[in-house]
Amino acid sequence: MSNEPRRPGRHFLQIPGPTPVPERILNAMSQQILDHRGPAFQKLGQRVLASARTIFKTTNPVVIFPSSGTGAWEAALVNTLSPGDKVLMVETGQFAVLWKQMAERLGLTPEMIPTDWRIGVDASLIEARLTKDKAHEIKAVCVVHNETSTGCRTWLEEVRKAIDAASHPALLMVDTISSLGVMDLRHDEWGIDVTISGSQKGLMLPPALSFNAISQKALAAAKTAKLAKSYFAWDDMLANNANGFFPYTPATGLLYGLCEAIDMLHEEGLDNVYARHERLAEATRRAVRAWGLDIWCRDAKYYSPAVTAVATPDGHNADAFRKVVLDTFNMSLGTGLNKLAGKAFRIGHLGDTNELTILGALAGVEMSLGLAGIPHKKGGVDAAMAYFAETAQPAAAKAA
Ligand SMILES: *Cc1c(COP(=O)(O)O)cnc(C)c1O
Protein backbone atom coordinates (compact mmCIF):
# COMPACT_ATOMS: atom_id res chain seq x y z
CA MET A 1 0.00 0.00 0.00
CA SER A 2 1.30 3.44 -0.89
CA ASN A 3 1.58 6.25 1.66
CA GLU A 4 -0.01 8.63 -0.83
CA PRO A 5 -3.72 9.19 -0.17
CA ARG A 6 -5.97 7.71 -2.84
CA ARG A 7 -7.27 10.26 -5.33
CA PRO A 8 -10.78 9.18 -6.26
CA GLY A 9 -12.32 9.59 -9.69
CA ARG A 10 -10.20 9.61 -12.79
CA HIS A 11 -7.05 11.55 -13.38
CA PHE A 12 -7.54 14.30 -15.98
CA LEU A 13 -4.76 13.70 -18.51
CA GLN A 14 -5.02 16.95 -20.49
CA ILE A 15 -1.52 16.90 -21.97
CA PRO A 16 -1.23 16.92 -25.77
CA GLY A 17 -0.29 13.26 -25.81
CA PRO A 18 -0.14 10.59 -24.67
CA THR A 19 -3.92 10.79 -24.39
CA PRO A 20 -6.38 8.61 -22.43
CA VAL A 21 -7.13 5.22 -24.00
CA PRO A 22 -10.85 4.40 -24.42
CA GLU A 23 -12.15 1.23 -22.71
CA ARG A 24 -12.98 -0.32 -26.08
CA ILE A 25 -9.33 -0.14 -27.04
CA LEU A 26 -8.11 -1.36 -23.64
CA ASN A 27 -10.41 -4.37 -24.01
CA ALA A 28 -9.35 -5.04 -27.58
CA MET A 29 -5.70 -5.14 -26.47
CA SER A 30 -6.38 -7.41 -23.54
CA GLN A 31 -5.76 -10.69 -25.38
CA GLN A 32 -3.38 -13.60 -25.01
CA ILE A 33 -0.13 -13.39 -27.01
CA LEU A 34 -0.22 -15.11 -30.39
CA ASP A 35 2.40 -16.66 -32.67
CA HIS A 36 3.57 -13.80 -34.85
CA ARG A 37 4.62 -16.29 -37.58
CA GLY A 38 1.29 -18.11 -37.57
CA PRO A 39 -1.95 -17.85 -39.57
CA ALA A 40 -3.90 -15.97 -36.88
CA PHE A 41 -1.32 -13.21 -36.85
CA GLN A 42 -1.24 -13.10 -40.64
CA LYS A 43 -4.94 -12.19 -40.68
CA LEU A 44 -4.39 -9.46 -38.10
CA GLY A 45 -1.35 -8.16 -39.99
CA GLN A 46 -3.15 -8.04 -43.32
CA ARG A 47 -6.14 -6.33 -41.76
CA VAL A 48 -4.20 -3.70 -39.86
CA LEU A 49 -1.82 -2.87 -42.73
CA ALA A 50 -4.79 -2.35 -45.06
CA SER A 51 -6.91 -0.33 -42.64
CA ALA A 52 -4.00 1.91 -41.60
CA ARG A 53 -4.00 3.27 -45.16
CA THR A 54 -7.51 4.63 -44.72
CA ILE A 55 -6.54 7.09 -41.99
CA PHE A 56 -3.56 8.39 -43.97
CA LYS A 57 -5.83 8.56 -47.04
CA THR A 58 -3.38 6.64 -49.18
CA THR A 59 -3.31 3.63 -51.47
CA ASN A 60 0.45 3.36 -50.96
CA PRO A 61 2.17 1.30 -48.25
CA VAL A 62 2.00 2.26 -44.59
CA VAL A 63 4.65 0.57 -42.44
CA ILE A 64 4.27 0.20 -38.69
CA PHE A 65 7.26 0.12 -36.35
CA PRO A 66 7.31 -0.95 -32.71
CA SER A 67 8.79 2.39 -31.60
CA SER A 68 7.81 5.82 -30.39
CA GLY A 69 7.19 8.52 -32.99
CA THR A 70 10.85 9.53 -32.89
CA GLY A 71 11.73 6.21 -34.51
CA ALA A 72 9.48 7.01 -37.47
CA TRP A 73 11.32 10.33 -37.94
CA GLU A 74 14.54 8.33 -38.18
CA ALA A 75 13.02 5.76 -40.54
CA ALA A 76 11.87 8.52 -42.91
CA LEU A 77 15.34 10.07 -43.08
CA VAL A 78 17.55 6.96 -43.24
CA ASN A 79 15.48 5.23 -45.91
CA THR A 80 15.41 8.11 -48.39
CA LEU A 81 18.61 10.14 -47.94
CA SER A 82 22.40 9.85 -48.21
CA PRO A 83 25.23 11.22 -46.04
CA GLY A 84 25.61 15.00 -46.39
CA ASP A 85 22.26 15.52 -48.14
CA LYS A 86 20.70 18.93 -47.55
CA VAL A 87 17.26 19.00 -45.97
CA LEU A 88 15.12 22.10 -45.51
CA MET A 89 13.24 22.38 -42.21
CA VAL A 90 11.16 25.08 -40.52
CA GLU A 91 11.76 25.89 -36.87
CA THR A 92 8.15 25.95 -35.75
CA GLY A 93 9.03 24.82 -32.22
CA GLN A 94 10.66 22.16 -30.07
CA PHE A 95 9.67 19.16 -32.21
CA ALA A 96 11.13 20.78 -35.32
CA VAL A 97 14.33 21.43 -33.32
CA LEU A 98 14.56 17.81 -32.19
CA TRP A 99 14.02 16.49 -35.71
CA LYS A 100 16.79 18.78 -36.96
CA GLN A 101 19.14 17.51 -34.23
CA MET A 102 18.41 13.98 -35.36
CA ALA A 103 19.15 14.89 -38.98
CA GLU A 104 22.54 16.30 -37.88
CA ARG A 105 23.39 13.21 -35.85
CA LEU A 106 22.58 11.02 -38.85
CA GLY A 107 25.06 12.95 -41.00
CA LEU A 108 22.61 15.08 -42.97
CA THR A 109 22.95 18.83 -43.51
CA PRO A 110 19.75 20.46 -42.29
CA GLU A 111 18.95 24.10 -42.97
CA MET A 112 16.36 25.78 -40.76
CA ILE A 113 13.96 28.54 -41.76
CA PRO A 114 13.41 30.41 -38.46
CA THR A 115 10.08 31.53 -36.97
CA ASP A 116 9.24 33.23 -33.67
CA TRP A 117 7.69 29.91 -32.49
CA ARG A 118 4.22 31.53 -32.51
CA ILE A 119 3.02 30.53 -36.00
CA GLY A 120 3.09 27.50 -38.32
CA VAL A 121 5.01 27.21 -41.58
CA ASP A 122 4.89 30.20 -43.95
CA ALA A 123 4.99 28.29 -47.23
CA SER A 124 6.12 31.33 -49.23
CA LEU A 125 9.50 31.10 -47.47
CA ILE A 126 9.87 27.49 -48.61
CA GLU A 127 9.02 28.49 -52.17
CA ALA A 128 11.58 31.33 -52.08
CA ARG A 129 14.33 29.06 -50.71
CA LEU A 130 13.65 26.25 -53.19
CA THR A 131 13.51 28.68 -56.11
CA LYS A 132 17.06 29.80 -55.23
CA ASP A 133 18.24 26.17 -55.13
CA LYS A 134 18.79 25.89 -58.88
CA ALA A 135 21.16 22.91 -58.49
CA HIS A 136 18.52 20.97 -56.54
CA GLU A 137 20.88 20.33 -53.65
CA ILE A 138 17.97 20.24 -51.20
CA LYS A 139 16.75 16.65 -51.16
CA ALA A 140 13.86 16.94 -48.74
CA VAL A 141 11.53 19.46 -47.12
CA CYS A 142 10.56 18.41 -43.58
CA VAL A 143 7.70 20.07 -41.71
CA VAL A 144 5.67 19.41 -38.57
CA HIS A 145 1.92 19.35 -39.28
CA ASN A 146 0.92 20.20 -35.72
CA GLU A 147 3.70 21.75 -33.62
CA THR A 148 2.67 20.27 -30.28
CA SER A 149 5.07 22.49 -28.32
CA THR A 150 3.45 25.78 -29.41
CA GLY A 151 -0.11 24.91 -30.46
CA CYS A 152 0.46 26.04 -34.05
CA ARG A 153 -0.60 24.05 -37.10
CA THR A 154 0.75 24.08 -40.65
CA TRP A 155 -1.30 23.97 -43.85
CA LEU A 156 0.24 21.12 -45.81
CA GLU A 157 -1.61 21.94 -49.04
CA GLU A 158 0.26 25.26 -49.07
CA VAL A 159 3.61 23.56 -48.55
CA ARG A 160 2.88 21.20 -51.44
CA LYS A 161 1.93 24.14 -53.69
CA ALA A 162 5.11 25.99 -52.70
CA ILE A 163 7.31 23.04 -53.71
CA ASP A 164 5.44 22.70 -57.01
CA ALA A 165 5.60 26.45 -57.67
CA ALA A 166 9.39 26.24 -57.36
CA SER A 167 9.35 23.19 -59.70
CA HIS A 168 11.62 21.51 -57.17
CA PRO A 169 12.05 17.72 -56.90
CA ALA A 170 12.64 17.59 -53.11
CA LEU A 171 10.75 14.96 -51.15
CA LEU A 172 8.08 16.26 -48.77
CA MET A 173 8.21 14.68 -45.30
CA VAL A 174 5.62 15.53 -42.69
CA ASP A 175 5.46 14.81 -38.96
CA THR A 176 1.79 14.10 -38.18
CA ILE A 177 2.46 12.57 -34.76
CA SER A 178 -0.02 14.85 -32.99
CA SER A 179 -2.33 15.56 -35.94
CA LEU A 180 -3.32 12.13 -37.29
CA GLY A 181 -6.89 11.45 -36.18
CA VAL A 182 -7.26 15.11 -35.18
CA MET A 183 -7.11 17.15 -38.38
CA ASP A 184 -7.45 16.31 -42.04
CA LEU A 185 -4.50 14.57 -43.62
CA ARG A 186 -4.38 13.44 -47.26
CA HIS A 187 -1.13 11.65 -47.95
CA ASP A 188 -1.85 10.96 -51.62
CA GLU A 189 -3.85 14.04 -52.60
CA TRP A 190 -1.38 16.44 -50.98
CA GLY A 191 1.62 14.72 -52.55
CA ILE A 192 3.33 13.87 -49.27
CA ASP A 193 6.27 11.50 -49.74
CA VAL A 194 6.70 10.28 -46.18
CA THR A 195 4.01 10.82 -43.56
CA ILE A 196 5.34 10.12 -40.07
CA SER A 197 3.05 9.38 -37.16
CA GLY A 198 2.68 7.79 -33.74
CA SER A 199 0.04 5.91 -31.78
CA GLN A 200 -0.39 7.82 -28.52
CA LYS A 201 -2.04 11.08 -29.52
CA GLY A 202 -5.02 11.35 -31.89
CA LEU A 203 -5.11 7.58 -32.36
CA MET A 204 -6.00 7.10 -28.66
CA LEU A 205 -3.56 4.19 -28.21
CA PRO A 206 -0.74 3.69 -25.73
CA PRO A 207 2.69 4.91 -26.87
CA ALA A 208 5.03 2.63 -28.87
CA LEU A 209 3.70 2.26 -32.41
CA SER A 210 4.94 4.53 -35.16
CA PHE A 211 4.16 4.88 -38.83
CA ASN A 212 5.60 5.81 -42.21
CA ALA A 213 3.17 6.22 -45.12
CA ILE A 214 5.39 6.06 -48.19
CA SER A 215 4.82 7.49 -51.69
CA GLN A 216 6.09 5.82 -54.88
CA LYS A 217 8.59 8.67 -55.20
CA ALA A 218 9.94 7.95 -51.71
CA LEU A 219 10.14 4.23 -52.53
CA ALA A 220 12.19 5.10 -55.62
CA ALA A 221 14.47 7.35 -53.53
CA ALA A 222 14.97 4.46 -51.10
CA LYS A 223 16.61 2.42 -53.85
CA THR A 224 19.63 4.76 -53.96
CA ALA A 225 19.65 6.18 -50.40
CA LYS A 226 22.97 5.49 -48.69
CA LEU A 227 22.45 6.34 -45.00
CA ALA A 228 23.03 3.28 -42.79
CA LYS A 229 19.85 1.56 -41.63
CA SER A 230 18.91 -1.78 -40.20
CA TYR A 231 16.02 -1.96 -37.71
CA PHE A 232 14.13 0.76 -39.60
CA ALA A 233 14.90 -0.48 -43.13
CA TRP A 234 11.79 -0.28 -45.30
CA ASP A 235 12.80 -3.07 -47.71
CA ASP A 236 12.76 -5.86 -45.09
CA MET A 237 9.57 -4.47 -43.63
CA LEU A 238 7.75 -4.19 -46.98
CA ALA A 239 8.87 -7.65 -48.10
CA ASN A 240 7.39 -9.21 -44.95
CA ASN A 241 4.32 -6.95 -44.92
CA ALA A 242 3.40 -8.21 -48.40
CA ASN A 243 2.18 -11.40 -46.65
CA GLY A 244 0.88 -9.71 -43.51
CA PHE A 245 4.03 -10.43 -41.49
CA PHE A 246 6.83 -8.40 -39.91
CA PRO A 247 10.63 -8.92 -40.07
CA TYR A 248 10.82 -9.05 -36.24
CA THR A 249 8.35 -9.46 -33.41
CA PRO A 250 5.57 -6.89 -33.88
CA ALA A 251 3.74 -5.24 -30.98
CA THR A 252 0.82 -7.65 -31.30
CA GLY A 253 -1.25 -6.22 -28.44
CA LEU A 254 -0.98 -2.71 -29.80
CA LEU A 255 -1.97 -3.91 -33.28
CA TYR A 256 -5.25 -5.28 -31.87
CA GLY A 257 -5.73 -1.85 -30.33
CA LEU A 258 -4.91 -0.13 -33.61
CA CYS A 259 -7.61 -2.11 -35.47
CA GLU A 260 -10.12 -1.03 -32.85
CA ALA A 261 -8.98 2.61 -32.93
CA ILE A 262 -9.32 2.79 -36.72
CA ASP A 263 -12.80 1.22 -36.52
CA MET A 264 -13.79 3.81 -33.92
CA LEU A 265 -12.56 6.72 -36.05
CA HIS A 266 -14.58 5.45 -39.03
CA GLU A 267 -17.69 4.79 -36.91
CA GLU A 268 -17.61 8.44 -35.84
CA GLY A 269 -16.68 9.51 -39.38
CA LEU A 270 -13.32 11.16 -40.06
CA ASP A 271 -14.94 14.49 -40.92
CA ASN A 272 -16.86 14.42 -37.63
CA VAL A 273 -13.63 13.61 -35.79
CA TYR A 274 -11.93 16.65 -37.32
CA ALA A 275 -14.96 18.91 -36.63
CA ARG A 276 -15.13 17.73 -33.01
CA HIS A 277 -11.50 18.69 -32.45
CA GLU A 278 -12.02 22.13 -34.04
CA ARG A 279 -14.97 22.71 -31.76
CA LEU A 280 -13.19 21.66 -28.55
CA ALA A 281 -10.25 23.88 -29.54
CA GLU A 282 -12.51 26.88 -30.21
CA ALA A 283 -14.22 26.51 -26.82
CA THR A 284 -10.81 26.35 -25.14
CA ARG A 285 -9.64 29.51 -26.89
CA ARG A 286 -12.83 31.35 -25.91
CA ALA A 287 -12.14 30.44 -22.29
CA VAL A 288 -8.54 31.67 -22.53
CA ARG A 289 -9.67 35.00 -24.03
CA ALA A 290 -12.34 35.42 -21.35
CA TRP A 291 -9.65 34.92 -18.69
CA GLY A 292 -7.73 37.75 -20.36
CA LEU A 293 -4.71 35.49 -21.00
CA ASP A 294 -2.75 35.21 -24.26
CA ILE A 295 -3.05 32.32 -26.66
CA TRP A 296 0.58 31.52 -27.54
CA CYS A 297 -0.21 31.06 -31.25
CA ARG A 298 -0.39 34.67 -32.47
CA ASP A 299 -2.23 34.19 -35.79
CA ALA A 300 -5.69 32.59 -35.98
CA LYS A 301 -4.76 30.95 -39.28
CA TYR A 302 -2.41 28.64 -37.40
CA TYR A 303 -4.55 27.75 -34.36
CA SER A 304 -4.15 24.07 -33.53
CA PRO A 305 -7.21 21.84 -33.19
CA ALA A 306 -5.14 19.52 -30.93
CA VAL A 307 -3.61 21.72 -28.26
CA THR A 308 -3.75 25.29 -27.00
CA ALA A 309 -0.66 26.81 -25.39
CA VAL A 310 -1.51 29.59 -22.93
CA ALA A 311 1.02 32.23 -21.91
CA THR A 312 1.14 33.12 -18.20
CA PRO A 313 1.61 36.81 -17.34
CA ASP A 314 5.20 37.99 -16.64
CA GLY A 315 6.33 37.05 -13.15
CA HIS A 316 4.03 34.02 -12.97
CA ASN A 317 5.72 30.67 -13.58
CA ALA A 318 3.59 28.33 -15.65
CA ASP A 319 5.09 25.22 -14.03
CA ALA A 320 4.26 26.48 -10.53
CA PHE A 321 0.71 26.92 -11.83
CA ARG A 322 0.69 23.39 -13.28
CA LYS A 323 1.73 22.05 -9.87
CA VAL A 324 -1.26 23.75 -8.24
CA VAL A 325 -3.55 22.16 -10.86
CA LEU A 326 -2.09 18.68 -10.31
CA ASP A 327 -1.94 18.84 -6.51
CA THR A 328 -5.38 20.36 -6.11
CA PHE A 329 -7.49 18.93 -8.91
CA ASN A 330 -5.61 15.83 -10.10
CA MET A 331 -5.18 17.16 -13.63
CA SER A 332 -2.01 17.10 -15.77
CA LEU A 333 -1.48 19.98 -18.19
CA GLY A 334 1.39 20.10 -20.71
CA THR A 335 4.57 21.85 -19.63
CA GLY A 336 6.22 24.63 -21.66
CA LEU A 337 9.08 23.18 -23.72
CA ASN A 338 12.32 25.00 -24.56
CA LYS A 339 11.50 28.68 -25.29
CA LEU A 340 8.12 28.27 -23.60
CA ALA A 341 9.59 26.82 -20.37
CA GLY A 342 7.95 28.48 -17.38
CA LYS A 343 6.14 30.90 -19.69
CA ALA A 344 3.26 28.79 -20.96
CA PHE A 345 1.16 25.75 -20.16
CA ARG A 346 -0.58 23.60 -22.74
CA ILE A 347 -4.14 22.28 -22.67
CA GLY A 348 -4.51 19.13 -24.76
CA HIS A 349 -7.95 18.72 -26.37
CA LEU A 350 -7.24 15.76 -28.62
CA GLY A 351 -8.09 12.08 -28.70
CA ASP A 352 -11.05 10.44 -26.99
CA THR A 353 -12.52 13.60 -25.52
CA ASN A 354 -15.78 15.57 -25.51
CA GLU A 355 -17.45 18.77 -24.35
CA LEU A 356 -17.92 17.85 -20.71
CA THR A 357 -14.35 16.60 -20.34
CA ILE A 358 -13.05 19.89 -21.73
CA LEU A 359 -15.38 21.88 -19.47
CA GLY A 360 -14.04 19.95 -16.48
CA ALA A 361 -10.50 20.70 -17.59
CA LEU A 362 -11.26 24.40 -18.11
CA ALA A 363 -12.96 24.56 -14.69
CA GLY A 364 -9.78 23.11 -13.14
CA VAL A 365 -7.70 25.75 -14.90
CA GLU A 366 -10.02 28.61 -13.93
CA MET A 367 -10.13 27.64 -10.24
CA SER A 368 -6.36 27.12 -10.16
CA LEU A 369 -5.66 30.53 -11.73
CA GLY A 370 -7.36 31.98 -8.66
CA LEU A 371 -5.56 29.66 -6.21
CA ALA A 372 -2.17 30.38 -7.81
CA GLY A 373 -2.75 34.14 -7.67
CA ILE A 374 -2.46 34.61 -11.44
CA PRO A 375 -4.25 37.81 -12.49
CA HIS A 376 -7.23 36.90 -14.68
CA LYS A 377 -10.93 37.51 -15.17
CA LYS A 378 -13.66 35.00 -14.36
CA GLY A 379 -15.98 33.63 -17.00
CA GLY A 380 -13.78 31.35 -19.14
CA VAL A 381 -15.86 28.25 -18.42
CA ASP A 382 -19.04 30.27 -19.06
CA ALA A 383 -17.72 31.36 -22.45
CA ALA A 384 -16.92 27.75 -23.36
CA MET A 385 -20.34 26.54 -22.18
CA ALA A 386 -22.12 29.25 -24.17
CA TYR A 387 -20.23 28.22 -27.31
CA PHE A 388 -20.98 24.53 -26.80
CA ALA A 389 -24.66 25.25 -26.21
CA GLU A 390 -24.90 27.49 -29.30
CA THR A 391 -23.32 24.86 -31.52
CA ALA A 392 -24.86 21.79 -29.86
CA GLN A 393 -26.13 18.92 -32.02
CA PRO A 394 -27.55 15.56 -30.97
CA ALA A 395 -25.27 12.66 -31.94
CA ALA A 396 -27.85 11.28 -34.40
CA ALA A 397 -27.79 14.50 -36.46
CA LYS A 398 -24.05 14.17 -37.02
CA ALA A 399 -24.36 10.64 -38.32
CA ALA A 400 -26.96 11.74 -40.89
C1 LIG B 1 4.95 13.71 -29.47
C2 LIG B 1 5.61 14.26 -30.68
C3 LIG B 1 6.83 13.77 -31.14
C4 LIG B 1 7.63 12.73 -30.41
O1 LIG B 1 7.02 11.50 -30.42
P1 LIG B 1 7.51 10.34 -29.45
O2 LIG B 1 6.44 9.32 -29.59
O3 LIG B 1 7.61 10.94 -28.08
O4 LIG B 1 8.83 9.86 -29.94
C5 LIG B 1 7.33 14.28 -32.32
N1 LIG B 1 6.67 15.24 -33.01
C6 LIG B 1 5.51 15.74 -32.58
C7 LIG B 1 4.82 16.80 -33.38
C8 LIG B 1 4.94 15.27 -31.40
O5 LIG B 1 3.77 15.78 -30.96
Side-chain angles (χ1 to χ4, degrees), residues 14-17 95 146-153 178-179 182-183 201 277 280-282 284-285 295-297 302-310 333-335 340 345-351:
Q14 297 297 144
I15 62 175
F95 289 104
N146 181 68
E147 182 48 82
T148 322
S149 64
T150 63
C152 298
R153 70 174 300 173
S178 64
S179 60
V182 175
M183 45 214 256
K201 297 179 184 181
H277 283 93
L280 299 177
E282 175 61 23
T284 303
R285 291 189 296 264
I295 297 167
W296 187 272
C297 179
Y302 299 109
Y303 283 159
S304 165
V307 52
T308 299
V310 183
L333 297 173
T335 187
L340 284 70
F345 61 89
R346 294 172 299 146
I347 305 173
H349 31 72
L350 73 166

Side-chain angles (χ1 to χ4, degrees), residues 163-289:
I163 298 172
D164 292 346
S167 303
H168 199 288
L171 296 167
L172 173 57
M173 303 197 196
V174 180
D175 168 347
T176 69
I177 295 174
S178 64
S179 60
L180 186 71
V182 175
M183 45 214 256
D184 197 6
L185 171 80
R186 305 179 187 191
H187 176 84
D188 287 359
E189 188 181 326
W190 295 345
I192 305 170
D193 293 300
V194 190
T195 301
I196 293 141
S197 205
S199 53
Q200 76 273 28
K201 297 179 184 181
L203 290 187
M204 312 174 286
L205 292 162
L209 285 184
S210 74
F211 305 87
N212 278 172
I214 311 168
S215 74
Q216 293 301 317
K217 185 172 160 187
L219 285 174
K223 295 216 164 74
T224 54
K226 296 205 171 48
L227 280 178
K229 60 199 138 293
S230 174
Y231 184 79
F232 288 115
W234 285 344
D235 49 5
D236 288 350
M237 187 59 106
L238 290 168
N240 282 270
N241 284 178
N243 301 313
F245 292 114
F246 285 65
Y248 36 67
T249 317
T252 47
L254 286 166
L255 295 180
Y256 283 127
L258 178 58
C259 281
E260 193 72 12
I262 295 171
D263 283 352
M264 288 169 73
L265 290 170
H266 288 305
E267 284 169 28
E268 184 178 353
L270 289 178
D271 289 341
N272 290 328
V273 170
Y274 308 144
R276 170 168 57 84
H277 283 93
E278 291 287 2
R279 193 155 166 272
L280 299 177
E282 175 61 23
T284 303
R285 291 189 296 264
R286 288 184 184 212
V288 175
R289 286 194 204 101

Side-chain angles (χ1 to χ4, degrees), residues 20 72 74 108 151 160 226 232 312 369 382 400:
E74 181 159 338
L108 297 167
R160 176 74 262 164
K226 296 205 171 48
F232 288 115
T312 45
L369 288 169
D382 289 309

Side-chain angles (χ1 to χ4, degrees), residues 125-165:
L125 299 177
I126 292 181
E127 182 179 337
R129 181 63 190 89
L130 292 180
T131 303
K132 274 204 302 186
D133 180 35
K134 298 275 183 256
H136 296 166
E137 285 175 348
I138 294 169
K139 300 301 176 198
V141 173
C142 302
V143 297
V144 178
H145 192 195
N146 181 68
E147 182 48 82
T148 322
S149 64
T150 63
C152 298
R153 70 174 300 173
T154 280
W155 293 89
L156 299 175
E157 309 90 305
E158 295 183 0
V159 176
R160 176 74 262 164
K161 277 193 195 130
I163 298 172
D164 292 346

Side-chain angles (χ1 to χ4, degrees), residues 33-42 244-252:
I33 306 306
L34 79 177
D35 171 9
H36 64 288
R37 309 275 184 214
F41 180 83
Q42 186 175 32
F245 292 114
F246 285 65
Y248 36 67
T249 317
T252 47

